[in-house]
Amino acid sequence: MSIVRGAAIAVTPWKNGMGRTRELAIHPPGADMSNFGWRVSVAEVDSAAPFSAFPGVDRQIALLEGAGFVMRFADGREHRLDDPYVPFAFAGEASVDVMLLGGATRDFNLMLRRGVAEGRIETWQAGVHALAGVALVYAVRAELVTPEGRLQPGDVWHVPSGMQEMLPLDGETIALAVRLA
């Protein structure tokens, strides 16, 4: 089955050892941090810490829970990640320090190796959403029903390749989808 329950996803340390992550998907299967084409994870950030560097990787991040944080780039830019479910893109080789805005946070991450994969995080709310090109759906809030079963918050659906169906979401449901080009 292509549904993975959130509670079954192992917690592992960040590449730099200063945080924790749950890997939701990695491609190709069996890849590791040095040779993935694309990777999706949920990170837990509970203290100020630098992000791990991923040269040659384009990153997107969206706040799931908590007050958020300020991302401080070595070139002097800052980005305030405090609006839930709104993706922000940045280069993986960028030197980024994080300052929490009020306690621990959880965030959703998409990493795409440049020249290998292209894609984006989409925030889905009530309505009907096309599954064509979608690799993964992550349940954020409320239950959602997929063609392969029900998702509770924190669950992941690995969408079968070539699926052309539509996925209706109702009421309070929020999901994050990863669409690959």
Side-chain angles (χ1 to χ4, degrees):
M1 184 177 239
S2 55
I3 292 176
V4 179
R5 302 296 171 205
I9 302 169
V11 178
T12 59
W14 282 357
K15 179 179 162 186
N16 68 9
M18 301 183 78
R20 295 172 313 284
T21 190
R22 293 176 190 267
E23 185 173 271
L24 307 181
I26 193 164
H27 188 79
D32 61 26
M33 299 303 278
S34 66
N35 63 2
F36 65 83
W38 57 268
R39 178 179 185 265
V40 182
S41 64
V42 170
E44 300 170 9
V45 182
D46 50 12
S47 64
F51 278 4
S52 300
F54 287 92
V57 174
D58 291 321
R59 298 180 68 172
Q60 296 176 33
I61 186 170
L63 180 66
L64 292 172
E65 293 178 5
F69 47 80
V70 174
M71 300 169 64
R72 292 190 172 136
F73 293 83
D75 65 6
R77 291 179 299 131
E78 288 189 355
H79 177 77
R80 191 175 175 101
L81 192 77
D82 60 354
D83 194 3
Y85 325 125
V86 177
F88 173 70
F90 63 102
E93 56 271 6
S95 177
V96 181
D97 287 316
V98 169
M99 182 185 77
L100 295 176
L101 293 173
T105 68
R106 289 181 58 232
D107 56 77
F108 186 87
N109 297 277
L110 171 62
M111 297 184 193
L112 303 154
R113 189 156 318 272
R114 248 176 252 129
V116 175
E118 293 182 13
R120 66 183 182 272
I121 298 171
E122 296 179 358
T123 303
W124 289 359
Q125 296 181 346
V128 178
H129 304 276
L131 290 170
V134 172
L136 177 145
V137 176
Y138 177 80
V140 175
R141 186 172 70 198
E143 179 180 86
L144 66 107
V145 180
T146 76
E148 297 188 339
R150 296 178 182 277
L151 300 183
Q152 301 299 321
D155 292 346
V156 179
W157 178 37
H158 296 266
V159 180
S161 180
M163 184 165 275
Q164 299 294 314
E165 296 180 38
M166 304 296 280
L167 183 67
L169 300 183
D170 58 11
E172 298 297 312
T173 304
I174 296 176
L176 295 180
V178 171
R179 187 177 304 275
L180 299 173

